[in-house]
Amino acid sequence: MSEAAAPERRRRFLEGLSFALDDFQECSFDALDEGANLLVSAPTGSGKTLIAAYAIARARQAGAKAFYTTPLKALSNQKFTELMLEHGADSVGLLTGDAAIRASAPIVVMTTEVLRNMLLTSSPLLANLGCVILDEVHFIQDPYRGGVWEEVLIMTDPEVQFCCLSATVANASVLGDWIESVRGPTSVIVERTRPIELHNHVSLTKRGSDGPQLIDLLDAGRPTAECLKIDGSQRRRPVSGRPRPGGGGRPTGPPRAYLTPRRSELLELLDAEELLPAIVFIFSRAACDDAVRQVLRDGIRLASRSERIRIRTIAEHFVEAFDDDELRALGYAEFAEALEAGVAAHHAGMVPAFREAVEVCFSEGLLGVVFATETLSMGINMPARTVVLERMSKFGGSGRAMLTSGEYAQMTGRAGRRGLDDEGHAVVLYTPETPLAEVARIAVAPPPDLHSSFRPTYNLASSLVKRYDRPQALELLSRSFAQFEVDHHHRSARRSVAEIFAHRMAVLEETGYVADWTLTEDGERLRGLYHEADLLLAEMIGEGVLDEAEPSVLCGVLSGLVFEPRRARKVPGGGGAARAKRRTKKGALPDRLGDKRRREIAARLEVASAISERLRAIEEVHLVPRSRGIEPGLATAVAAWSRGAELGTVLDVAVRDVGEVAPGDLVRVLKSVADLAEQVARVAPDPHLASVAEEARTSLLRSVVAAGPEASTSGSTRGT
């Protein structure tokens, strides 16, 4: 179908809408109809999804495929469900590494990594691809995964049209210029106006009052007089908490005039002001769970009888494949009790089934409040009437830091439900350490600039050697957004991409993966591995670390490449730690392993760790950032799951070995190990190792680990 047919395509699409297009949507449709690539930068909830829907419709009307990519598996799963409802199940597929469903469908949802890997392997699924939607394209600045977006934009066939959707960024035009430099004509559409007006508030409790109150944060873009008055009283207050001279211990100074509201009292206030449902952002998984328990103890109930019945039906649907032992291990009774009260947590430490139940209940308006970490703000479709920020700072890699204007906008972008609310509300809880003038500054500050985080990986380097000669490979790298910024915006503090690539190539040459710009047999193996520890895994395979291992032992060893320790925590009310302690007194945990397997896993991990240290020393010589090492903490737990141990036992083993591990983290590790096992099965030089690796993958994908949208055990699509 020619571009002359565009008016007819649009007419048919618009007939299905019950509302008029906003101006930025109209301009976006025009750009797509003109055959241009498109970058849309707009606030959360402004209607970018409709632009993606039109791009898909255009591709389908032209008889071409459409790929919809997202940065998160959870977002891919949600988009998969939405598109099936719109286009029919037979027309929509899903590829996330965890699931492979209808990979040949005309519309396929996938994580962006899957598309990158399809490009590197020249997958036949790329045939007749007409359009790619890159959702949340601002992830291009993610320090660990952002380079994937650049690789996709550079390597995809030039005939494919891109529709890139982003949260609001200040330098969208710069990103658009780069996209045009690598893909041809590109329209940049920037929309800064929220579709629903946002009102910013502060909640505080005046000492001696009956409860908290809401005050306005802003007046014509500046802090209100009341906020400035509160800041002034805080500055004039004598320093408290300092012991009296000579000891005595008790702090000096008058009591504070303003206090941080209690959670339950805040919810009662929001309920009375008709400002529910609300999402309360707390930058700690444990604090989210604690908040749920706290408000339930205080008697907060936010769901009616009819809502409780519907909530129970939804929750039971998502756990119907779990047995009673698994439900007990996951704390399902407590989760369901809170959910039926209209209260829930949402964070990555929960198993996917629990998170998805929360998302569906919230989207149906059945919950009054969700306590969430900031990951909820990244694309998941859960708009609320009110968003609450408990703090304006969070812990990061370099300690506690204030939220950026971009983070504030991303989270408060959930406030206001289009079609339901006339306005949205953002509420920041007062804390004495953060001046309200600073909160106001962040709330109105322009969005941040977006910068590249691209760095050539070992896998990419091996793929470039395989597919291109040296000048062509360097030319391709020169087209990266990272190099574009160096060349056009004088980011002289960064080394050029070619220099970084040369250092990585030096490592590959010294370790025998590349010789005279040709892949060795080991290099061919590396090209089929997609992981941040790609070179280490290739070395482990090459040096026989996995040879003659039975499936559970192989799983335990591979977990050392996946597990990332978190600080252990105690769980109120006992939890896994107390359970493990009681069972340990009675004897060893029933992990189905035995001493021989445990010793074998430990010995193989010790060899892998030595290989890792040798590689890191080589990297240091060649000025390459040291790759991650081996983390053996969950090896026994992962092997136990592979051997068929119960979920409760596996969680107990994890508690014993590394401290409390959230069920969601365990599931994520098990899925990642299954994915690595699938890759080993594909590249292993020994057929026996390949067979064992495939058996290992299958042993992990059961029950809570296999649960998901139309869960499939057909494996990863990385080599498709």
Side-chain angles (χ1 to χ4, degrees), residues 532-554:
E532 62 175 314
D534 46 13
L535 183 57
L536 175 55
L537 179 55
E539 286 282 278
M540 289 167 59
I541 295 172
E543 297 200 15
V545 176
L546 306 178
D547 288 354
E548 304 302 323
E550 66 172 69
S552 63
V553 171
L554 186 143

Side-chain angles (χ1 to χ4, degrees), residues 392 402-406 408-409 434 437-446:
M392 286 295 291
M402 292 294 292
L403 298 181
T404 67
S405 60
Y408 185 90
T434 305
E438 177 66 5
V439 176
R441 184 195 65 77
I442 294 171
V444 299

Side-chain angles (χ1 to χ4, degrees), residues 572-589:
R579 184 173 63 245
K581 184 177 180 180
R582 290 195 300 271
R583 296 177 76 168
T584 302
K585 287 181 178 179
K586 298 178 182 178
L589 293 167

